[in-house]
Amino acid sequence: MTAKVLLVCLGYLAGSIPFGVVLGRLVAGVDVRTVGSGNIGASNVARAAGKGTGIVVLLLDALKAVLPMLATRAILAPDPSANTWATLVGLAAFLGHIFPVWLGFKGGKGVATALGVFAVLAPLPTVLAVGAFAVAFALTRVPAVGSLAGTAVCTAGVFAIYGGRSVVAWAALVVAVLVVWRHRSNLARLRKGAENKV
């Protein structure tokens, strides 16, 4: 049990790594928290430091969930609870991105890290979510709309495939609630027609 709890703690610390802040400073010499939307995620990094840097940040923010989760599965195999603990590690990484210890618990919106979590736990719903994001973003050019559409599709897909009693489904619900909560300022701007486009 001690080792499992340690893995969850390490997942949180991995999720707390603020790749957007680090690469924003290295590539463009700016603190992304002070420009654009002030968010540390890929969309704002793309505005501040270029689309290429934004893509790199997206991948790194996803990998900081993927790698700890895969490591947990490998370390705990063949323990039947390995997938449950991998899910908890993924949630910890997601929470680390939103509430990073290194940034005074003021982090990003968690979409890319959530993508990493469900790429491991639920690949098909994740692929559908990416498609939903692409369609919504293409129609609106608003990353927040794409993110919320993708979150909704992923959550619905997880419940449809795994059922309401699955730990993966409950993880998806927790992630969806937090993603929507973190986008509350975007939703307010959308209602006013003032949301940022890319």
Side-chain angles (χ1 to χ4, degrees), residues 123-164:
L124 179 56
T126 302
V127 171
L128 296 175
V130 171
F133 172 91
V135 171
F137 178 70
L139 292 173
T140 65
R141 308 306 298 176
V142 177
V145 173
S147 296
L148 293 170
T151 299
V153 168
C154 184
T155 304
V158 168
F159 271 85
I161 293 173
Y162 295 95

Side-chain angles (χ1 to χ4, degrees), residues 4-190:
K4 293 172 180 176
V5 172
L6 179 60
L7 287 168
V8 173
C9 292
L10 291 174
Y12 168 79
L13 292 175
S16 291
I17 300 172
F19 287 114
V21 174
V22 173
L23 290 182
R25 285 176 174 165
L26 289 176
V27 174
V30 299
D31 185 341
V32 295
R33 295 171 294 177
T34 65
V35 299
S37 67
N39 186 42
I40 67 170
S43 295
N44 198 46
V45 172
R47 296 187 190 101
K51 291 183 179 180
T53 306
I55 291 171
V56 172
V57 168
L58 187 150
L59 293 174
L60 290 173
D61 281 348
L63 285 172
K64 66 188 184 183
V66 169
L67 296 180
M69 292 174 72
L70 294 180
T72 298
R73 280 182 174 176
I75 291 168
L76 298 183
D79 187 327
S81 68
N83 196 59
T84 296
W85 283 99
T87 303
L88 293 175
V89 167
L91 281 177
F94 172 75
L95 291 172
H97 181 81
I98 296 177
F99 307 111
V101 64
W102 318 119
L103 299 180
F105 305 102
K106 296 177 181 178
K109 295 177 180 175
V111 175
T113 307
L115 176 68
V117 172
F118 291 99
V120 174
L121 296 176
L124 179 56
T126 302
V127 171
L128 296 175
V130 171
F133 172 91
V135 171
F137 178 70
L139 292 173
T140 65
R141 308 306 298 176
V142 177
V145 173
S147 296
L148 293 170
T151 299
V153 168
C154 184
T155 304
V158 168
F159 271 85
I161 293 173
Y162 295 95
R165 295 184 179 181
S166 167
V167 65
V168 179
W170 284 103
L173 184 60
V174 169
V175 167
V177 168
L178 285 172
V179 166
V180 172
W181 176 72
R182 290 293 289 143
H183 280 81
R184 62 194 185 280
S185 61
N186 302 83
L187 291 168
R189 288 193 295 271
L190 282 167

